[in-house]
Structures are given as C-alpha cells and as structure tokens.
Amino acid sequence: HEDKEKNRGYKMPKTISEDLYNILKKPREIKYRLCYINSQIRNLEECLLPSGIRYDKDSVQSSPSDKLSEIVAEISVLEQEHTELEAELLKAGDRIKALCTTLTDIEGTVIMMRFIALQKFEQIAIATNYTKGGIWDVYGRAIDKLEKEHSQKD
C-alpha cells in the first residue's frame, strides 16, 4: 500500500500522536452525536402526534398513564444536550483553528476543511483547485507540522 502511494506522489503524514488525533477528531464525534440526538428528538416528536385507536385491534388501557408529559420531558433533556454539544462543537472548531495559525494558508484550509467541515479529500481538491495528490501532500505537511508543534508543547 505504501509503495502504491509513493508511485502516485502522495506523501502520507508520519504517525500522529493520540492526543493530537483526539483534538482533530473531536468535531466529527460531536457532529455524529448531534445527528443521533436530532433523530431521537424527531422520533419522540412523532410520538406526540395524534393517532387513532382501533378498538377492534388495539388494546385500550382503562387508566392510561400520562405518556405525553414523559415524552415532552425527554425531548427537553435531549434539546438541552443538543445545545451543550453545539457549544462544545464551536470550542472544538476554535481549538483546531488555533492550531492552524502556524500553518500556511493552504495547509490551514485543508486541515479545517477535513476536520471541521468534514470534507473528503476529493471535495477539498475541487474546492481548492488542487489535485487529490496535491491535497495529500499539503495534508501530510500540515499534520507533520502540527505534530511537531504539539509535541514541543508537551
């Protein structure tokens, strides 16, 4: 695999420390969690919609519990978590932007597009008017610089 990459001219970054990797992957993890919470909220909101009861098929409780207030309370908790995660996402993005201040413009752009905007390398190449191989080279240099800088801070 490595020889194949060399033949294409791609320069893969050296290994990345776990600490730096965790910083860079944080926005992706938060965005996935936000999507999950959104789907949970939508599902619960659907439960609030009125539905008909077919007395011939559905079992009817004689003293129904108040499920609506439970659902509304659960939605409220999820919305609060969603708000907190959005704030955390902004902080994670700002942290990555701060790391990119020492990079060249294109290196910073590639890192931010990859880890904040969650763009694929093909999309980054199109947006920056680079080839995919050129983006890999820029990405490799940027990760190497970030790793060197990050290891010096420790």
Side-chain angles (χ1 to χ4, degrees), residues 22-72:
N22 287 335
I23 292 168
L24 294 174
K25 73 175 184 172
K26 189 76 171 173
R28 179 179 302 271
E29 291 173 344
I30 295 170
K31 286 182 180 183
Y32 284 148
R33 179 74 182 140
L34 286 169
C35 286
Y36 178 72
I37 289 173
N38 284 336
S39 69
Q40 284 183 307
I41 291 171
R42 275 195 308 274
N43 288 340
L44 289 170
E45 286 173 341
E46 287 177 4
C47 293
L48 294 174
L49 297 174
S51 62
I53 297 175
R54 292 195 48 189
Y55 291 96
D56 60 332
K57 297 221 179 207
D58 297 332
S59 61
V60 179
Q61 296 176 345
S62 56
S63 59
S65 64
D66 188 13
K67 282 291 231 188
L68 292 181
S69 62
E70 291 174 17
I71 292 171
V72 170

Side-chain angles (χ1 to χ4, degrees), residues 24-25 27-29 31-32 112-120 123-124:
L24 294 174
K25 73 175 184 172
R28 179 179 302 271
E29 291 173 344
K31 286 182 180 183
Y32 284 148
M112 288 188 281
M113 289 180 78
R114 181 71 179 151
F115 293 104
I116 297 174
L118 307 181
Q119 299 288 308
K120 295 179 179 179
Q123 295 166 315
I124 298 170

